[in-house]
Amino acid sequence: MRKENSTTAIKGFVFVGLTNNPAQQIFLFLAFLSFYIMTLVGNLGMIALIRVSPRLHTPMYFFLSNLSLLDVCFSSVVATKSLVNLLADKKSISLIGCAMQMYFVIGLGSTECFLLVAMAYDRYVAICKPLLYLVLMSPRVCTFLVVGSYVLGLLHSLVHTVFTFRLSFCHSNKINHLYCDITALLSLSCSDIYLNELLIFYVAGPVEATTILSVMVSYMYILTNIVRISSSAGRLKAFSTCTSHLIAVTIFHGAILILHFRPKSSNGSPTQDVCDKVLAVFYTIVIPLLNPLIYSLRNKEVKDALEVIQRKVWGKMFS
């Protein structure tokens, strides 16, 4: 029997999805579409608000606008294809399409990890070195941090994508997931995936650990400086500028750790497969929706800027 040595044995993949029940698929389509529309409105609205509000033209909101753009792209990579598949008889994706989807899911997710570190560094400088803030967080430095986040994230993804799609996929073409997830693809390969597992352990693992540790170190210094503030009002004001970012980091990294870095013994059961898919929905569709809500509901400056815009709009309408 001839042994296949490349991915040419399979021209595409088929997603198993959450359910084959037509009524449930319609319900999921409407739910996913609602989440996706709210994600677009929330994040694009946040970008527009930051651009038109002079009071929000600061490094903190420069990073936040890039986070919103990242969330729009990240959600679109998964949501658009998932919405099409929910209404399609055959939930398929081409080999190239799968490679591109995996590349952008890992790349944009990794970029968000690095961008959250840059945002933590911004809060560290603002609270621990306020007199040097405008120097240390100049437009040039902020641009460098954002561009660096994208470069590191996309390079990290390129490594995993190249080494995944050089494998042979001859066991099956059915991906038991909602999108082209690397672990789901590795389970379909009939090649030796030892090198891929090493890359996950020695490349993806350190990226996740390093970004989490960097945020934790930043907040250790932040908390140390906040404790030294004499007035309780001053401490509360200083900490309030960090809570939104801290919540976003906790939710994002918590989902990654549960989805990708749990013990292998928890894999394989039908219940675990469903939980994985639900977590994937939360990670790729719900979290991008939560970020603008977290930063708008808990941020006085964003609320004030939104009120100013609303007053201007109402003023023009009734003038």
Side-chain angles (χ1 to χ4, degrees):
M1 182 180 292
R2 183 172 62 91
K3 182 180 178 180
E4 300 292 349
N5 294 317
S6 69
T7 57
T8 55
I10 289 179
K11 295 182 179 180
F13 298 95
V14 176
F15 295 110
V16 174
L18 281 168
T19 178
N20 292 320
N21 186 304
Q24 292 177 349
Q25 287 180 340
I26 294 297
F27 171 78
L28 288 173
F29 174 82
L30 295 174
F32 282 22
L33 181 62
S34 299
F35 279 122
Y36 182 54
I37 291 174
M38 287 188 289
T39 297
L40 293 180
V41 172
N43 284 287
L44 294 177
M46 180 66 75
I47 294 171
L49 179 64
I50 292 171
R51 287 185 65 87
V52 302
S53 301
R55 67 175 64 191
L56 300 182
H57 292 175
T58 64
M60 175 181 173
Y61 295 103
F62 173 73
F63 290 125
L64 180 54
S65 64
N66 279 280
L67 179 64
S68 293
L69 177 61
L70 194 61
D71 282 337
V72 168
C73 297
F74 184 57
S75 181
S76 297
V77 169
V78 175
T80 50
K81 186 61 178 176
S82 296
L83 288 170
V84 171
N85 285 339
L86 283 169
L87 298 181
D89 293 330
K90 189 175 182 181
K91 302 168 176 52
S92 61
I93 188 170
S94 67
L95 189 67
I96 295 176
C98 188
M100 294 298 293
Q101 188 183 55
M102 177 181 147
Y103 173 73
F104 284 111
V105 167
I106 296 177
L108 295 174
S110 301
T111 300
E112 186 156 341
C113 289
F114 292 115
L115 186 59
L116 290 171
V117 172
M119 296 174 74
Y121 175 70
D122 169 71
R123 291 300 82 206
Y124 159 75
V125 175
I127 293 175
C128 301
K129 301 180 182 295
L131 298 179
L132 297 175
Y133 183 70
L134 295 179
V135 176
L136 295 177
M137 299 305 297
S138 65
R140 183 177 180 180
V141 171
C142 293
T143 302
F144 173 79
L145 290 173
V146 170
V147 173
S149 297
Y150 275 95
V151 171
L152 290 174
L154 295 176
L155 283 177
H156 172 237
S157 179
L158 183 63
V159 172
H160 292 290
T161 305
V162 168
F163 279 91
T164 298
F165 283 87
R166 63 185 289 274
L167 300 173
S168 298
F169 298 101
C170 47
H171 285 165
S172 171
N173 71 332
K174 291 186 178 181
I175 300 177
N176 191 19
H177 216 279
L178 300 177
Y179 58 88
C180 291
D181 177 70
I182 184 171
T183 53
L185 285 168
L186 292 180
S187 68
L188 301 180
S189 177
C190 51
S191 302
D192 184 2
I193 61 171
Y194 180 70
L195 179 59
N196 301 80
E197 292 176 333
L198 286 180
L199 287 173
I200 292 174
F201 187 80
Y202 287 108
V203 179
V207 167
E208 178 68 7
T210 301
T211 52
I212 291 176
L213 184 61
S214 299
V215 173
M216 291 176 62
V217 170
S218 296
Y219 275 99
M220 285 176 59
Y221 282 104
I222 289 171
L223 290 174
T224 301
N225 278 267
I226 288 177
V227 170
R228 294 174 182 173
I229 299 175
S230 56
S231 66
S232 58
R235 288 195 297 270
L236 182 62
K237 182 179 179 180
F239 190 71
S240 65
T241 65
C242 305
T243 52
S244 297
H245 175 256
L246 202 52
I247 293 171
V249 169
T250 302
I251 294 174
F252 181 74
H253 282 289
I256 291 178
L257 291 173
I258 295 173
L259 188 60
H260 295 291
F261 294 96
R262 67 187 183 281
K264 284 189 176 182
S265 59
S266 64
N267 291 335
S269 68
T271 302
Q272 188 62 52
D273 289 339
V274 173
C275 289
D276 286 349
K277 294 172 186 177
V278 172
L279 280 170
V281 171
F282 182 77
Y283 173 59
T284 58
I285 297 177
V286 178
I287 289 180
L289 168 63
L290 291 178
N291 281 339
L293 294 176
I294 292 169
Y295 280 97
S296 61
L297 294 176
R298 298 189 59 86
N299 195 305
K300 187 177 184 301
E301 291 178 324
V302 171
K303 291 179 182 177
D304 291 343
L306 187 58
E307 289 176 0
V308 170
I309 298 298
Q310 288 175 336
R311 285 198 296 268
K312 287 182 179 180
V313 171
W314 285 110
K316 291 182 179 179
M317 290 178 62
F318 292 101
S319 61

Short mmCIF file of all heavy atoms in Angstrom, two decimals, residues 191-249:
data_model
loop_
_atom_site.label_atom_id
_atom_site.label_comp_id
_atom_site.label_asym_id
_atom_site.label_seq_id
_atom_site.Cartn_x
_atom_site.Cartn_y
_atom_site.Cartn_z
N SER A 191 0.95 11.14 10.17
CA SER A 191 2.40 11.35 10.26
C SER A 191 2.82 11.40 11.72
O SER A 191 1.99 11.44 12.63
CB SER A 191 2.79 12.66 9.57
OG SER A 191 2.38 12.68 8.23
N ASP A 192 4.12 11.41 11.92
CA ASP A 192 4.68 11.56 13.26
C ASP A 192 4.52 13.02 13.68
O ASP A 192 5.06 13.93 13.05
CB ASP A 192 6.15 11.17 13.25
CG ASP A 192 6.77 11.21 14.64
OD1 ASP A 192 6.03 11.50 15.61
OD2 ASP A 192 7.98 10.97 14.76
N ILE A 193 3.75 13.27 14.75
CA ILE A 193 3.48 14.65 15.19
C ILE A 193 4.33 15.03 16.40
O ILE A 193 4.04 16.02 17.08
CB ILE A 193 1.99 14.84 15.53
CG1 ILE A 193 1.57 13.90 16.68
CG2 ILE A 193 1.12 14.60 14.30
CD1 ILE A 193 0.18 14.20 17.22
N TYR A 194 5.40 14.26 16.65
CA TYR A 194 6.25 14.54 17.82
C TYR A 194 6.84 15.95 17.75
O TYR A 194 6.84 16.68 18.75
CB TYR A 194 7.37 13.50 17.90
CG TYR A 194 8.31 13.71 19.07
CD1 TYR A 194 7.88 13.48 20.38
CD2 TYR A 194 9.63 14.14 18.86
CE1 TYR A 194 8.74 13.68 21.45
CE2 TYR A 194 10.49 14.33 19.92
CZ TYR A 194 10.04 14.10 21.22
OH TYR A 194 10.90 14.31 22.28
N LEU A 195 7.31 16.36 16.58
CA LEU A 195 7.89 17.69 16.42
C LEU A 195 6.84 18.77 16.67
O LEU A 195 7.13 19.79 17.30
CB LEU A 195 8.50 17.85 15.03
CG LEU A 195 9.11 19.22 14.71
CD1 LEU A 195 10.23 19.56 15.69
CD2 LEU A 195 9.65 19.24 13.27
N ASN A 196 5.62 18.54 16.20
CA ASN A 196 4.55 19.51 16.41
C ASN A 196 4.21 19.66 17.89
O ASN A 196 3.97 20.77 18.38
CB ASN A 196 3.30 19.09 15.65
CG ASN A 196 3.53 18.97 14.16
OD1 ASN A 196 4.08 17.96 13.71
ND2 ASN A 196 3.16 19.98 13.41
N GLU A 197 4.22 18.53 18.61
CA GLU A 197 3.96 18.58 20.04
C GLU A 197 5.08 19.31 20.77
O GLU A 197 4.82 20.04 21.74
CB GLU A 197 3.79 17.16 20.58
CG GLU A 197 2.52 16.48 20.08
CD GLU A 197 2.41 15.05 20.55
OE1 GLU A 197 3.48 14.42 20.81
OE2 GLU A 197 1.28 14.54 20.69
N LEU A 198 6.32 19.12 20.30
CA LEU A 198 7.44 19.85 20.89
C LEU A 198 7.28 21.36 20.67
O LEU A 198 7.57 22.15 21.57
CB LEU A 198 8.76 19.37 20.29
CG LEU A 198 9.29 18.00 20.74
CD1 LEU A 198 10.61 17.71 20.03
CD2 LEU A 198 9.48 17.96 22.25
N LEU A 199 6.83 21.74 19.47
CA LEU A 199 6.63 23.16 19.16
C LEU A 199 5.55 23.77 20.06
O LEU A 199 5.69 24.89 20.53
CB LEU A 199 6.25 23.34 17.69
CG LEU A 199 7.37 23.12 16.68
CD1 LEU A 199 6.82 23.15 15.26
CD2 LEU A 199 8.46 24.20 16.84
N ILE A 200 4.49 23.00 20.29
CA ILE A 200 3.43 23.50 21.17
C ILE A 200 3.98 23.67 22.59
O ILE A 200 3.71 24.67 23.26
CB ILE A 200 2.22 22.53 21.16
CG1 ILE A 200 1.54 22.56 19.79
CG2 ILE A 200 1.23 22.91 22.26
CD1 ILE A 200 0.43 21.55 19.63
N PHE A 201 4.78 22.69 23.02
CA PHE A 201 5.29 22.73 24.40
C PHE A 201 6.38 23.77 24.58
O PHE A 201 6.39 24.51 25.58
CB PHE A 201 5.82 21.34 24.79
CG PHE A 201 6.22 21.23 26.23
CD1 PHE A 201 5.28 21.02 27.22
CD2 PHE A 201 7.56 21.34 26.59
CE1 PHE A 201 5.65 20.92 28.55
CE2 PHE A 201 7.94 21.24 27.93
CZ PHE A 201 6.98 21.04 28.91
N TYR A 202 7.31 23.85 23.61
CA TYR A 202 8.48 24.71 23.78
C TYR A 202 8.35 26.09 23.11
O TYR A 202 9.20 26.95 23.31
CB TYR A 202 9.73 24.01 23.24
CG TYR A 202 10.20 22.87 24.12
CD1 TYR A 202 10.05 21.56 23.72
CD2 TYR A 202 10.79 23.13 25.36
CE1 TYR A 202 10.48 20.50 24.52
CE2 TYR A 202 11.21 22.09 26.17
CZ TYR A 202 11.06 20.78 25.75
OH TYR A 202 11.48 19.76 26.56
N VAL A 203 7.31 26.29 22.29
CA VAL A 203 7.11 27.60 21.67
C VAL A 203 5.82 28.24 22.15
O VAL A 203 5.82 29.34 22.71
CB VAL A 203 7.11 27.50 20.12
CG1 VAL A 203 6.89 28.87 19.50
CG2 VAL A 203 8.44 26.91 19.63
N ALA A 204 4.69 27.55 21.93
CA ALA A 204 3.40 28.12 22.35
C ALA A 204 3.33 28.24 23.88
O ALA A 204 2.83 29.25 24.40
CB ALA A 204 2.26 27.25 21.84
N GLY A 205 3.81 27.22 24.58
CA GLY A 205 3.80 27.26 26.04
C GLY A 205 4.55 28.45 26.61
O GLY A 205 4.01 29.21 27.41
N PRO A 206 5.82 28.65 26.21
CA PRO A 206 6.57 29.81 26.69
C PRO A 206 5.95 31.16 26.29
O PRO A 206 6.04 32.12 27.05
CB PRO A 206 7.94 29.64 26.03
CG PRO A 206 8.09 28.17 25.88
CD PRO A 206 6.72 27.68 25.53
N VAL A 207 5.33 31.25 25.11
CA VAL A 207 4.65 32.50 24.72
C VAL A 207 3.55 32.81 25.72
O VAL A 207 3.44 33.94 26.22
CB VAL A 207 4.09 32.39 23.29
CG1 VAL A 207 3.11 33.53 23.01
CG2 VAL A 207 5.21 32.42 22.27
N GLU A 208 2.73 31.80 26.03
CA GLU A 208 1.63 32.00 26.99
C GLU A 208 2.18 32.31 28.38
O GLU A 208 1.73 33.25 29.04
CB GLU A 208 0.76 30.74 27.02
CG GLU A 208 -0.39 30.79 28.01
CD GLU A 208 -1.47 31.77 27.64
OE1 GLU A 208 -1.41 32.34 26.53
OE2 GLU A 208 -2.37 31.99 28.47
N ALA A 209 3.17 31.53 28.82
CA ALA A 209 3.72 31.73 30.16
C ALA A 209 4.42 33.09 30.29
O ALA A 209 4.25 33.79 31.30
CB ALA A 209 4.71 30.60 30.49
N THR A 210 5.18 33.47 29.27
CA THR A 210 5.92 34.73 29.32
C THR A 210 5.00 35.93 29.34
O THR A 210 5.22 36.90 30.09
CB THR A 210 6.88 34.84 28.12
OG1 THR A 210 7.78 33.73 28.13
CG2 THR A 210 7.68 36.14 28.16
N THR A 211 3.95 35.89 28.52
CA THR A 211 3.02 37.03 28.49
C THR A 211 2.24 37.16 29.80
O THR A 211 2.05 38.26 30.30
CB THR A 211 2.05 36.90 27.30
OG1 THR A 211 1.42 35.61 27.32
CG2 THR A 211 2.77 37.08 25.98
N ILE A 212 1.83 36.02 30.36
CA ILE A 212 1.13 36.07 31.65
C ILE A 212 2.08 36.58 32.74
O ILE A 212 1.70 37.44 33.55
CB ILE A 212 0.60 34.67 32.03
CG1 ILE A 212 -0.54 34.26 31.10
CG2 ILE A 212 0.09 34.67 33.48
CD1 ILE A 212 -1.06 32.86 31.35
N LEU A 213 3.31 36.07 32.76
CA LEU A 213 4.28 36.49 33.77
C LEU A 213 4.60 37.97 33.64
O LEU A 213 4.74 38.68 34.66
CB LEU A 213 5.55 35.65 33.64
CG LEU A 213 6.65 35.91 34.69
CD1 LEU A 213 6.13 35.59 36.09
CD2 LEU A 213 7.89 35.08 34.38
N SER A 214 4.71 38.47 32.41
CA SER A 214 5.01 39.89 32.19
C SER A 214 3.90 40.77 32.75
O SER A 214 4.17 41.80 33.39
CB SER A 214 5.19 40.16 30.70
OG SER A 214 6.26 39.43 30.17
N VAL A 215 2.65 40.37 32.53
CA VAL A 215 1.52 41.13 33.07
C VAL A 215 1.54 41.09 34.60
O VAL A 215 1.32 42.11 35.27
CB VAL A 215 0.19 40.58 32.53
CG1 VAL A 215 -1.00 41.25 33.23
CG2 VAL A 215 0.09 40.80 31.02
N MET A 216 1.82 39.91 35.16
CA MET A 216 1.84 39.77 36.62
C MET A 216 2.94 40.63 37.24
O MET A 216 2.71 41.28 38.28
CB MET A 216 2.04 38.29 36.99
CG MET A 216 0.86 37.40 36.67
SD MET A 216 1.18 35.65 37.03
CE MET A 216 1.44 35.71 38.81
N VAL A 217 4.12 40.64 36.64
CA VAL A 217 5.22 41.47 37.16
C VAL A 217 4.85 42.94 37.11
O VAL A 217 5.11 43.71 38.06
CB VAL A 217 6.52 41.19 36.37
CG1 VAL A 217 7.59 42.21 36.75
CG2 VAL A 217 7.02 39.78 36.64
N SER A 218 4.24 43.37 36.00
CA SER A 218 3.81 44.76 35.87
C SER A 218 2.85 45.14 36.99
O SER A 218 2.98 46.20 37.62
CB SER A 218 3.14 44.99 34.50
OG SER A 218 4.06 44.79 33.45
N TYR A 219 1.91 44.25 37.27
CA TYR A 219 0.92 44.57 38.30
C TYR A 219 1.47 44.44 39.70
O TYR A 219 0.96 45.06 40.64
CB TYR A 219 -0.33 43.70 38.10
CG TYR A 219 -1.28 44.33 37.12
CD1 TYR A 219 -1.33 43.91 35.79
CD2 TYR A 219 -2.10 45.40 37.48
CE1 TYR A 219 -2.17 44.51 34.87
CE2 TYR A 219 -2.95 46.00 36.58
CZ TYR A 219 -2.98 45.56 35.28
OH TYR A 219 -3.80 46.17 34.37
N MET A 220 2.52 43.66 39.89
CA MET A 220 3.18 43.64 41.19
C MET A 220 3.78 45.01 41.51
O MET A 220 3.61 45.54 42.62
CB MET A 220 4.27 42.56 41.20
CG MET A 220 3.75 41.14 41.30
SD MET A 220 5.08 39.90 41.18
CE MET A 220 6.11 40.38 42.55
N TYR A 221 4.45 45.60 40.51
CA TYR A 221 4.99 46.95 40.70
C TYR A 221 3.87 47.98 40.85
O TYR A 221 3.97 48.91 41.65
CB TYR A 221 5.88 47.32 39.50
CG TYR A 221 7.25 46.70 39.53
CD1 TYR A 221 7.56 45.62 38.72
CD2 TYR A 221 8.24 47.19 40.38
CE1 TYR A 221 8.82 45.04 38.74
CE2 TYR A 221 9.50 46.62 40.41
CZ TYR A 221 9.79 45.54 39.59
OH TYR A 221 11.04 44.98 39.63
N ILE A 222 2.80 47.82 40.08
CA ILE A 222 1.67 48.75 40.16
C ILE A 222 1.05 48.72 41.54
O ILE A 222 0.82 49.77 42.16
CB ILE A 222 0.63 48.42 39.08
CG1 ILE A 222 1.16 48.78 37.69
CG2 ILE A 222 -0.69 49.14 39.34
CD1 ILE A 222 0.31 48.29 36.54
N LEU A 223 0.77 47.51 42.05
CA LEU A 223 0.16 47.39 43.37
C LEU A 223 1.07 47.94 44.46
O LEU A 223 0.60 48.56 45.42
CB LEU A 223 -0.20 45.93 43.65
CG LEU A 223 -1.35 45.35 42.82
CD1 LEU A 223 -1.49 43.85 43.08
CD2 LEU A 223 -2.66 46.06 43.14
N THR A 224 2.37 47.70 44.32
CA THR A 224 3.33 48.23 45.30
C THR A 224 3.27 49.75 45.36
O THR A 224 3.31 50.35 46.44
CB THR A 224 4.75 47.77 44.95
OG1 THR A 224 4.81 46.35 44.93
CG2 THR A 224 5.75 48.31 45.96
N ASN A 225 3.17 50.38 44.20
CA ASN A 225 3.10 51.84 44.16
C ASN A 225 1.74 52.37 44.61
O ASN A 225 1.66 53.43 45.23
CB ASN A 225 3.40 52.34 42.74
CG ASN A 225 4.88 52.43 42.46
OD1 ASN A 225 5.51 53.46 42.63
ND2 ASN A 225 5.46 51.31 42.03
N ILE A 226 0.67 51.64 44.32
CA ILE A 226 -0.66 52.08 44.74
C ILE A 226 -0.76 52.07 46.26
O ILE A 226 -1.35 52.97 46.87
CB ILE A 226 -1.74 51.18 44.11
CG1 ILE A 226 -1.86 51.48 42.60
CG2 ILE A 226 -3.09 51.39 44.78
CD1 ILE A 226 -2.85 50.60 41.88
N VAL A 227 -0.19 51.04 46.89
CA VAL A 227 -0.23 50.95 48.36
C VAL A 227 0.46 52.14 49.01
O VAL A 227 0.08 52.59 50.10
CB VAL A 227 0.42 49.63 48.82
CG1 VAL A 227 0.62 49.61 50.33
CG2 VAL A 227 -0.43 48.44 48.38
N ARG A 228 1.47 52.70 48.33
CA ARG A 228 2.22 53.83 48.90
C ARG A 228 1.47 55.15 48.80
O ARG A 228 1.87 56.14 49.42
CB ARG A 228 3.56 53.96 48.18
CG ARG A 228 4.49 52.77 48.42
CD ARG A 228 5.74 52.91 47.55
NE ARG A 228 6.64 51.77 47.71
CZ ARG A 228 7.71 51.57 46.97
NH1 ARG A 228 8.02 52.43 46.00
NH2 ARG A 228 8.47 50.51 47.17
N ILE A 229 0.41 55.19 48.00
CA ILE A 229 -0.37 56.43 47.88
C ILE A 229 -1.08 56.69 49.20
O ILE A 229 -1.76 55.80 49.75
CB ILE A 229 -1.37 56.33 46.71
CG1 ILE A 229 -0.62 56.13 45.39
CG2 ILE A 229 -2.25 57.58 46.64
CD1 ILE A 229 -1.53 55.90 44.20
N SER A 230 -0.98 57.89 49.71
CA SER A 230 -1.48 58.19 51.06
C SER A 230 -3.01 58.22 51.14
O SER A 230 -3.60 57.68 52.06
CB SER A 230 -0.91 59.54 51.53
OG SER A 230 -1.24 60.56 50.59
N SER A 231 -3.67 58.84 50.18
CA SER A 231 -5.12 58.99 50.26
C SER A 231 -5.84 57.78 49.65
O SER A 231 -5.39 57.22 48.65
CB SER A 231 -5.57 60.26 49.53
OG SER A 231 -5.34 60.16 48.15
N SER A 232 -6.95 57.42 50.26
CA SER A 232 -7.74 56.29 49.73
C SER A 232 -8.34 56.64 48.37
O SER A 232 -8.47 55.78 47.49
CB SER A 232 -8.85 55.93 50.71
OG SER A 232 -9.70 57.04 50.96
N ALA A 233 -8.72 57.92 48.19
CA ALA A 233 -9.26 58.35 46.90
C ALA A 233 -8.22 58.21 45.79
O ALA A 233 -8.53 57.80 44.67
CB ALA A 233 -9.75 59.79 46.99
N GLY A 234 -6.98 58.56 46.13
CA GLY A 234 -5.90 58.44 45.15
C GLY A 234 -5.62 56.99 44.79
O GLY A 234 -5.38 56.67 43.63
N ARG A 235 -5.66 56.12 45.81
CA ARG A 235 -5.44 54.69 45.55
C ARG A 235 -6.56 54.13 44.67
O ARG A 235 -6.30 53.36 43.75
CB ARG A 235 -5.37 53.92 46.87
CG ARG A 235 -4.10 54.16 47.67
CD ARG A 235 -3.93 53.12 48.75
NE ARG A 235 -5.02 53.19 49.74
CZ ARG A 235 -5.00 53.94 50.83
NH1 ARG A 235 -3.91 54.68 51.10
NH2 ARG A 235 -6.01 53.94 51.67
N LEU A 236 -7.78 54.52 44.96
CA LEU A 236 -8.92 54.03 44.19
C LEU A 236 -8.86 54.50 42.74
O LEU A 236 -9.10 53.74 41.81
CB LEU A 236 -10.23 54.49 44.83
CG LEU A 236 -11.52 54.02 44.15
CD1 LEU A 236 -11.60 52.50 44.20
CD2 LEU A 236 -12.74 54.64 44.84
N LYS A 237 -8.48 55.77 42.55
CA LYS A 237 -8.39 56.32 41.20
C LYS A 237 -7.29 55.62 40.40
O LYS A 237 -7.47 55.30 39.22
CB LYS A 237 -8.11 57.82 41.26
CG LYS A 237 -8.04 58.47 39.89
CD LYS A 237 -7.79 59.97 40.03
CE LYS A 237 -7.69 60.62 38.64
NZ LYS A 237 -7.44 62.08 38.73
N ALA A 238 -6.15 55.37 41.06
CA ALA A 238 -5.04 54.71 40.38
C ALA A 238 -5.41 53.28 39.98
O ALA A 238 -5.13 52.83 38.87
CB ALA A 238 -3.80 54.71 41.27
N PHE A 239 -6.04 52.57 40.90
CA PHE A 239 -6.39 51.18 40.63
C PHE A 239 -7.52 51.06 39.61
O PHE A 239 -7.58 50.10 38.85
CB PHE A 239 -6.78 50.46 41.92
CG PHE A 239 -6.92 48.97 41.76
CD1 PHE A 239 -5.80 48.17 41.58
CD2 PHE A 239 -8.17 48.37 41.76
CE1 PHE A 239 -5.92 46.80 41.41
CE2 PHE A 239 -8.29 47.00 41.60
CZ PHE A 239 -7.18 46.23 41.42
N SER A 240 -8.41 52.05 39.59
CA SER A 240 -9.54 52.00 38.66
C SER A 240 -9.09 52.05 37.20
O SER A 240 -9.79 51.55 36.31
CB SER A 240 -10.52 53.15 38.94
OG SER A 240 -9.90 54.39 38.66
N THR A 241 -7.91 52.65 36.95
CA THR A 241 -7.40 52.70 35.58
C THR A 241 -6.87 51.34 35.11
O THR A 241 -6.61 51.16 33.93
CB THR A 241 -6.27 53.74 35.46
OG1 THR A 241 -5.15 53.32 36.26
CG2 THR A 241 -6.73 55.11 35.91
N CYS A 242 -6.72 50.40 36.05
CA CYS A 242 -6.15 49.09 35.72
C CYS A 242 -7.17 47.96 35.72
O CYS A 242 -6.91 46.90 35.14
CB CYS A 242 -5.04 48.73 36.71
SG CYS A 242 -3.74 49.95 36.86
N THR A 243 -8.30 48.16 36.38
CA THR A 243 -9.24 47.05 36.57
C THR A 243 -9.78 46.48 35.26
O THR A 243 -9.90 45.26 35.11
CB THR A 243 -10.41 47.48 37.47
OG1 THR A 243 -10.99 48.69 36.94
CG2 THR A 243 -9.95 47.72 38.89
N SER A 244 -10.10 47.35 34.31
CA SER A 244 -10.65 46.87 33.03
C SER A 244 -9.64 45.98 32.32
O SER A 244 -9.98 44.90 31.82
CB SER A 244 -11.02 48.06 32.14
OG SER A 244 -12.04 48.83 32.73
N HIS A 245 -8.40 46.43 32.29
CA HIS A 245 -7.35 45.64 31.63
C HIS A 245 -7.12 44.33 32.36
O HIS A 245 -6.95 43.27 31.73
CB HIS A 245 -6.04 46.44 31.59
CG HIS A 245 -4.89 45.68 31.04
ND1 HIS A 245 -3.89 45.16 31.85
CD2 HIS A 245 -4.57 45.31 29.77
CE1 HIS A 245 -3.01 44.52 31.09
NE2 HIS A 245 -3.39 44.60 29.83
N LEU A 246 -7.15 44.36 33.69
CA LEU A 246 -6.92 43.15 34.48
C LEU A 246 -8.03 42.13 34.24
O LEU A 246 -7.77 40.92 34.13
CB LEU A 246 -6.84 43.52 35.96
CG LEU A 246 -6.12 42.56 36.90
CD1 LEU A 246 -4.74 42.23 36.39
CD2 LEU A 246 -6.05 43.15 38.29
N ILE A 247 -9.28 42.61 34.14
CA ILE A 247 -10.41 41.71 33.86
C ILE A 247 -10.26 41.10 32.47
O ILE A 247 -10.46 39.89 32.27
CB ILE A 247 -11.74 42.47 33.97
CG1 ILE A 247 -12.00 42.89 35.42
CG2 ILE A 247 -12.90 41.62 33.47
CD1 ILE A 247 -13.18 43.83 35.60
N ALA A 248 -9.90 41.92 31.48
CA ALA A 248 -9.74 41.43 30.11
C ALA A 248 -8.63 40.38 30.03
O ALA A 248 -8.78 39.35 29.35
CB ALA A 248 -9.42 42.60 29.17
N VAL A 249 -7.51 40.62 30.71
CA VAL A 249 -6.40 39.66 30.72
C VAL A 249 -6.82 38.35 31.35
O VAL A 249 -6.53 37.26 30.83
CB VAL A 249 -5.19 40.25 31.47
CG1 VAL A 249 -4.14 39.18 31.73
CG2 VAL A 249 -4.57 41.39 30.68
#
